[in-house]
Amino acid sequence: MTIVRQFTAVAASLLIAVPAFAGDSDHFKGQPSNTLEQAVANFSDYNNKLEKVLAGDLTPEAMNEVHQLTYTLENALQKLDDEIDALEDTLEKVHKASEHADPDTVRTAGEQYLSNSRKMIK
């Protein structure tokens, strides 16, 4: 297929697809990532799905699949970002408590930090 035909095929598919997306009030939302565990699972699963699509031809159908996959990945990344922010706050509690020789806070906040951080990376 010549480059002109490829361009024409992609342009035509976008003309068909874009109005469908733009006028659709139920636009893709992706899978939710309401918990850290769900975000980690979605991040892993949907990265694998994206990798498979990228390994093939990026046809208009594949481009649509990528478009849909990115919503779930964005949801997962947002939850991970929120969780990392909270993790930073918890670690800061541990840090400050260690400076002030506060073993109770070091233990409780440290255990909370480890528990949550290990949900992301073991």
Side-chain angles (χ1 to χ4, degrees), residues 86-115 117:
L87 202 57
E88 288 172 339
D89 292 342
T90 304
L91 185 59
E92 185 64 16
K93 285 181 190 175
V94 175
H95 176 85
K96 287 184 177 183
S98 71
E99 289 177 343
H100 296 101
D102 178 357
D104 292 337
T105 301
V106 167
R107 183 169 315 281
T108 57
E111 289 171 354
Q112 180 184 4
Y113 167 81
L114 289 173
S115 174
S117 68

Side-chain angles (χ1 to χ4, degrees), residues 25-46:
S25 62
D26 292 328
H27 194 67
F28 303 116
K29 292 181 174 78
Q31 296 298 313
S33 287
N34 297 318
T35 65
L36 178 55
E37 296 85 356
Q38 196 175 32
V40 170
N42 284 344
F43 187 67
S44 179
D45 292 346
Y46 279 74

Side-chain angles (χ1 to χ4, degrees), residues 10 50 53-63 66:
V10 170
L50 179 60
V53 174
L54 294 176
D57 292 333
L58 294 178
T59 63
E61 293 81 12
M63 297 297 280
V66 168

Side-chain angles (χ1 to χ4, degrees), residues 3-36:
I3 192 75
V4 173
R5 281 194 209 163
Q6 288 176 340
F7 178 77
T8 304
V10 170
S13 69
L14 290 175
L15 289 174
I16 293 167
V18 171
F21 293 146
D24 185 0
S25 62
D26 292 328
H27 194 67
F28 303 116
K29 292 181 174 78
Q31 296 298 313
S33 287
N34 297 318
T35 65
L36 178 55

